Amino acid sequence: MRPSKRLDRIPPYLFAELERKITAKRATGIDVISLGIGDPDTPTYAPIVAAAQRAVADPSTHTYPSNRGRAEFREAVAAFYERRFGVRLDPETEVMAAIGAKECIFNLNLAFLDPGDVALASDPGYPVYTGGPLLAGGEPVLMPLEPELGFAPDLEAIGPDALARARLMFINYPNNPTGAVVPDGLFERAIDLARRSELLIVHDNAYSETTFDGYVAPSFLSIPGAKEVGVEVFSLSKGYNMTGWRCAAIVGNAEAIAQFWRLKSNIDSGNFEAVQLAGAAALAPEVDAEVAAMNAVYARRRDLVCEALGRAGVQVTPPRGTIYIWAPIPEGFGSSAEYCEHVLEQAAVAISPGGAYGRSGEGFFRISLTTPDDRLMEAVERLRQL
Ligand SMILES: *Cc1c(COP(=O)(O)O)cnc(C)c1O
């Protein structure tokens, strides 16, 4: 057996590696607290589960789904975008279902990159922004997110050669892993750049519903001109506690969505329509209160963690969105991986090394807030005692 050279191009997936280490430690009886993976710890909201139960019992969901998504789902996404973001979408041509944002982001690389083409990837960023282009035979070019610019990439700093070859740009706000919200004018500047090049902007919207302190995240598509040059990938995973369901939508530029559909009809057969009907139920106004209650829980955990880190001498700015705290590693460690290894060995707490999200993440670590309060506090106390 001989694996493809394509597979050799990608580094091992960070979280698979982390999970392997945690499992090995737990097998020896050690009580590891994992703050590594961003996976909500509380159940999917009850109205969504109830809708899914009804949908599973409905035989119309038992056949092959349509790739582009069931009409009820596409219509619910369009209604949500209008109500929540003031964005008008045609459910026929500007909305399509995806089997999670990860599938969608990966497949956009297959749909839009040829060998030699470039995908501009936020750095630090979700690992698929670099693994996707590599597997598709393209080339990821990192765009460092600058802390002084509010974690915006400096678009002026993209080299002319990379820009000439760029076909995709991946951006994401509220941002994983930094917790930053979209810096003023960034979406506008990205649209302006895309108009002057042959570039599709992909805004990864995984966290617009997970925000705090009264901050309301915009959609990329709410900026004039966005639909001409971009798409947004809207995931229900984090905001609706639906990571296991694999439910997302791609919205925006109709031509890009048509190409995505053309590709996908050769790759998969869509998402289970009962999942799509559950997703449609999630986007109804009645579920807003559940989302708000969940955000209050995350905001409380965020404050507990930031305060405890502050007492331990680690200064962090409390993020206004996402489920992550992004913090500098203490002095005396050679790399973020070395620090995280040390924390896992000495404190039995799993955290993510910033370097795993790209070169610019080096020197930082990420804590996920998706752990019950008492375990989260125990973990932070263990860190303080290191
Ligand atoms: C969690 C996450 C995803 C994956 O979302 P799914 O819909 O579960 O595939 C994509 N992008 C970012 C930035 C994420 O944090």
Side-chain angles (χ1 to χ4, degrees), residues 230-316:
V231 290
E232 182 158 87
V233 183
F234 180 78
S235 170
L236 282 81
S237 284
K238 311 302 183 1
Y240 299 87
N241 295 350
M242 291 180 77
T243 48
W245 300 65
R246 314 312 304 132
C247 190
I250 178 171
V251 296
N253 187 277
E255 171 63 18
I257 289 172
Q259 298 304 338
F260 179 69
W261 184 12
R262 183 149 78 103
L263 174 85
K264 243 171 96 72
S265 57
N266 287 284
I267 293 185
D268 62 62
S269 299
N271 350 14
F272 183 23
E273 291 197 355
V275 166
Q276 296 185 49
L277 291 173
L283 299 177
E286 297 81 71
V287 180
D288 290 359
E290 313 267 355
V291 176
M294 194 65 235
N295 287 344
V297 170
Y298 288 136
R300 187 182 68 232
R301 291 178 184 171
R302 172 199 66 172
D303 292 342
L304 289 172
V305 171
C306 288
E307 200 185 274
L309 286 174
R311 273 188 273 118
V314 181
Q315 294 311 325
V316 292

Side-chain angles (χ1 to χ4, degrees), residues 109-146:
N109 288 285
L110 281 187
F112 288 97
L113 297 182
D114 282 317
D117 290 347
V118 159
L120 299 165
S122 294
D123 165 35
Y126 187 60
V128 184
Y129 306 158
T130 48
L134 287 172
L135 285 173
E139 186 189 326
V141 169
L142 300 179
M143 297 187 297
L145 301 186
E146 310 285 356

Side-chain angles (χ1 to χ4, degrees), residues 179-191:
V181 301
V182 65
D184 280 343
L186 175 64
F187 285 160
E188 288 83 350
R189 291 196 296 280
I191 291 166

